[in-house]
Amino acid sequence: MTDKDALIEKKLQQAVKARAALEDAHKDQITTFSNFAARLAVSCKGQDVALDNQLAKFRQALTKGVSFDDLAPLINNITKALKNQEIVNAENHTKLSVTISEAGKQLQKLKGIPDDTRRKLRYLLDTELPEVNVSYEFLPVFEKLITIYKKVLSSKVGLDGENATTSKPELASELLTLTNEITFEDDVAKEVTDIKTTLSQSAEIDVLLDCSIAIIQIIANSIARERQSAQGFLVSLNQTLEELHASIINTTNSTKHMSEELSGLNKQIETKIKLLNEQTQKATSISDLKELVDGELKLLRQDLVKREQLEQQDKAALLDSFEQINTRIGVLETKVNKYKKRLSEQQFKSLLDGLTKLPNRAAFDDRFNQEFHMFEQHGGDITLVVIDVDYFKSINDQYGHSAGDKTLQVIARALKKAIRKADFIARYGGEEFVLIMSGMPISHAKAPLEKVRNTIKAIPFKFKNKQVQITVSLGATQFKKGDTPLAAFDRADDALYEAKNNGRDRLCIRN
């Protein structure tokens, strides 16, 4: 082999390596995009059922590593679903506007409203409400409507000759219960705590009205903030998906075109090398051979230079395209991470136990203290019950922790169904549950608690093809004058240990 042949072969090898490196880089970029797209699809879950289904198909396709031709229709469907979600948001906007307008018109129909209040209401409906463009702008309109409603209500109370300071402890208890069932953000935690304290200390009509309005304002503010956040996220996601879609199509088309050119050029080079070999064999003199080789090598060098230029252009175009895609992905990924963090924090702050979906220890402590405070203020009959699953450790040891988790989930559902709607049940920790029965004297609690015990005992548990009967022990007591929260809980706990020590699967009561 001559030096020129060796040089040609070396350049061909370098070209092959360069192409392989480019293809590897292309695969890495596609893998990065696929991983991000899969995470993005998971993060968007929960906005809409149709959108969830499309995102699920998209994640499955990415997992299988399908070609872009297969992904393209999925991306189109997701884009359509996102646009549909924007339409739904717009419809919700319209419905909210109509609802506020109708509520205001109902107020207008009432007789005896002060002229100044009626003028403010008319201006609100005719001028301020039509100027609302996005959902969060409803909030100040809503707040003004509430203020007007309060004035109207106060006016009506005065007209009807009712005593505005009448105490309604049952309404205070109901409002406090409703407030306890809602999870609020940290930034309003102190305000909500103050409202709960107020409700537990006073049951005057004016106080209840102020607390109701304050809670409504907090909820309305939270809804507006969440809707604005979700809408912004959806719009940003939709825009970025469309941009990514267009970038991928352009990159794919450019790569196909460049591949076709390179393929044609490679065949041309192979043909010339083959022809050169054939002509070399037929050469009859050194001069003819030299002339032939020089001419063909010159043409080969031109082809190789052209090929190298095409590969450089292809590489530069790919790098530029992927840089743009990565920039868009980076911006959106930051937004997704913030959105996921927000959702994660909301889930963390939730007062539900993750396994049983019952209120957790924090929710119980809050509710227990409020119930006790209301008992000190207004009296009443409140029964406290501590419930423990018998021999729970042996279930974990014999059948595994998954069996133990399943047991707790089944028991939690059974407990929730077996108690009254007015009762409060929570998972205190481990295999222990706590029950607060407001308005239930201990003398009347025995029958429903025995029903709870028998309900759990009758559940047909089966582990590893073996039928297992699971029972619970219960300790109950009633709040007494002079009690502290700790004293009341300790008394119920002592009753539970009495039930345990006397053979389990029983109810013990401490007065």
Side-chain angles (χ1 to χ4, degrees):
M1 180 183 294
T2 65
D3 292 341
K4 290 184 178 180
D5 291 339
L7 180 61
I8 292 173
E9 185 176 355
K10 183 178 180 181
K11 285 192 174 185
L12 286 173
Q13 291 176 350
Q14 289 175 346
V16 171
K17 288 181 180 179
R19 185 64 185 176
L22 188 62
E23 289 177 353
D24 289 341
H26 182 259
K27 289 179 181 178
D28 290 341
Q29 296 284 358
I30 291 298
T31 299
T32 300
F33 168 70
S34 298
N35 290 338
F36 167 74
R39 293 197 301 271
L40 181 63
V42 173
S43 300
C44 297
K45 189 176 181 181
Q47 297 288 345
D48 176 75
V49 175
L51 180 58
D52 284 349
N53 292 335
Q54 295 296 335
L55 291 172
K57 293 179 181 178
F58 185 60
R59 291 196 302 274
Q60 291 173 359
L62 288 175
T63 303
K64 294 177 181 177
V66 299
S67 65
F68 176 75
D69 291 337
D70 294 324
L71 284 178
L74 294 177
I75 294 177
N76 287 332
N77 290 337
I78 291 173
T79 302
K80 290 178 183 177
L82 287 169
K83 289 181 178 178
N84 290 337
Q85 187 62 31
E86 290 182 17
I87 294 173
V88 170
N89 291 338
E91 291 175 350
N92 289 337
H93 175 97
T94 302
K95 289 178 182 178
L96 186 56
S97 178
V98 171
T99 300
I100 294 178
S101 177
E102 290 178 350
K105 289 176 181 177
Q106 290 295 324
L107 280 178
Q108 283 181 319
K109 294 178 181 179
L110 295 176
K111 297 179 180 179
I113 301 177
D115 292 339
D116 180 61
T117 302
R118 190 178 292 277
R119 281 194 298 272
K120 289 180 179 179
L121 179 57
R122 187 184 306 116
Y123 182 79
L124 179 75
L125 297 177
D126 296 342
T127 304
E128 295 186 55
L129 185 58
E131 292 179 355
V132 172
N133 295 314
V134 291
S135 296
Y136 64 85
E137 291 180 354
F138 279 115
L139 185 59
V141 176
F142 192 42
E143 288 177 340
K144 290 180 182 179
L145 184 61
I146 291 173
T147 302
I148 292 172
Y149 174 77
K150 181 179 178 181
K151 291 181 180 179
V152 172
L153 185 60
S154 299
S155 174
K156 291 298 291 179
V157 168
L159 289 173
D160 295 339
E162 294 288 342
N163 184 358
T165 59
T166 302
S167 179
K168 296 288 185 180
E170 68 279 5
L171 292 180
S173 177
E174 184 177 352
L175 184 57
L176 186 59
T177 299
L178 290 172
T179 307
N180 283 325
E181 293 176 355
I182 304 172
T183 302
F184 296 94
E185 296 286 338
D186 283 342
D187 57 351
V188 295
K190 185 180 184 304
E191 186 177 354
V192 173
T193 300
D194 292 342
I195 292 172
K196 291 179 180 179
T197 301
T198 301
L199 288 172
S200 64
Q201 293 176 344
S202 175
E204 302 300 317
I205 290 293
D206 284 344
V207 172
L208 297 183
L209 180 60
D210 289 338
C211 289
S212 299
I213 292 173
I215 292 169
I216 292 172
Q217 287 174 328
I218 292 172
I219 294 172
N221 193 14
S222 298
I223 292 172
R225 187 166 50 193
E226 285 300 319
R227 178 170 292 173
Q228 182 184 9
S229 174
Q231 285 179 336
F233 181 74
L234 278 173
V235 170
S236 178
L237 173 63
N238 189 14
Q239 180 181 355
T240 305
L241 277 176
E242 288 180 346
E243 291 175 353
L244 288 174
H245 189 189
S247 296
I248 292 173
I249 289 176
N250 291 336
T251 302
T252 302
N253 291 337
S254 176
T255 300
K256 285 182 179 179
H257 177 71
M258 193 66 70
S259 295
E260 290 172 0
E261 285 196 45
L262 285 171
S263 178
L265 190 56
N266 285 335
K267 290 180 180 179
Q268 185 177 324
I269 291 173
E270 291 173 2
T271 300
K272 288 183 178 180
I273 292 175
K274 183 178 180 181
L275 183 61
L276 178 61
N277 288 332
E278 292 175 355
Q279 291 176 342
T280 301
Q281 298 296 329
K282 296 177 181 179
T284 57
S285 66
I286 295 298
S287 59
D288 291 342
L289 181 60
K290 182 177 181 302
E291 182 180 353
L292 175 65
V293 170
D294 287 343
E296 293 298 331
L297 285 179
K298 183 178 180 181
L299 295 175
L300 277 173
R301 279 196 298 271
Q302 292 175 352
D303 289 342
L304 288 171
V305 169
K306 184 178 180 181
R307 171 177 165 162
E308 189 172 351
Q309 290 174 345
L310 285 174
E311 289 181 338
Q312 290 295 332
Q313 291 175 10
D314 187 22
K315 183 176 181 180
L318 278 173
L319 290 176
D320 181 62
S321 175
F322 283 127
E323 186 175 347
Q324 293 179 18
I325 291 174
N326 283 336
T327 299
R328 293 189 183 104
I329 288 175
V331 172
L332 189 55
E333 191 165 19
T334 300
K335 293 181 181 179
V336 171
N337 287 336
K338 288 182 179 179
Y339 198 72
K340 286 175 66 178
K341 183 180 179 182
R342 178 176 175 80
L343 294 178
S344 177
E345 287 173 350
Q346 288 177 342
Q347 185 177 11
F348 177 76
K349 289 183 294 188
S350 172
L351 297 178
L352 290 181
D353 174 63
L355 178 65
T356 62
K357 306 306 178 185
L358 291 178
N360 59 18
R361 168 72 180 273
F364 167 75
D365 289 341
D366 190 36
R367 179 64 175 268
F368 182 59
N369 289 328
Q370 290 165 21
E371 292 283 355
F372 197 88
H373 197 79
M374 290 195 70
F375 169 76
E376 289 181 316
Q377 294 291 322
H378 309 293
D381 297 315
I382 301 177
T383 293
L384 173 66
V385 188
V386 183
I387 306 169
D388 190 84
V389 182
D390 296 328
Y391 302 109
F392 183 75
K393 185 177 183 299
S394 65
I395 298 173
N396 281 331
D397 292 342
Q398 292 183 46
Y399 307 107
H401 287 282
S402 60
D405 289 347
K406 185 65 177 177
T407 300
L408 292 176
Q409 290 172 333
V410 173
I411 290 176
R413 287 196 294 268
L415 287 173
K416 194 170 183 179
K417 289 181 180 179
I419 62 176
R420 304 175 304 169
K421 288 185 177 181
D423 295 337
F424 177 83
I425 183 76
R427 184 187 181 194
Y428 193 73
E431 67 273 21
E432 201 166 63
F433 300 87
V434 280
L435 173 63
I436 299 175
M437 308 174 78
S438 299
M440 175 69 73
I442 194 71
S443 57
H444 296 168
K446 184 174 181 180
L449 291 178
E450 286 290 355
K451 176 186 174 183
V452 168
R453 184 181 65 81
N454 289 321
T455 297
I456 302 301
K457 189 174 182 178
I459 296 174
F461 287 99
K462 194 172 185 179
F463 305 120
K464 296 182 179 178
N465 296 322
K466 182 180 179 182
Q467 202 74 25
V468 178
Q469 186 181 63
I470 294 177
T471 61
V472 294
S473 298
L474 303 90
T477 192
Q478 183 173 339
F479 288 4
K480 299 189 299 186
K481 286 185 177 181
D483 261 346
T484 64
L486 180 59
F489 190 89
D490 284 346
R491 200 162 55 248
D493 209 34
D494 289 341
L496 172 66
Y497 277 98
E498 181 182 344
K500 290 282 189 182
N501 293 332
N502 289 338
R504 294 179 170 81
D505 184 25
R506 65 190 64 231
L507 164 68
C508 286
I509 295 174
R510 285 284 180 94
N511 295 311

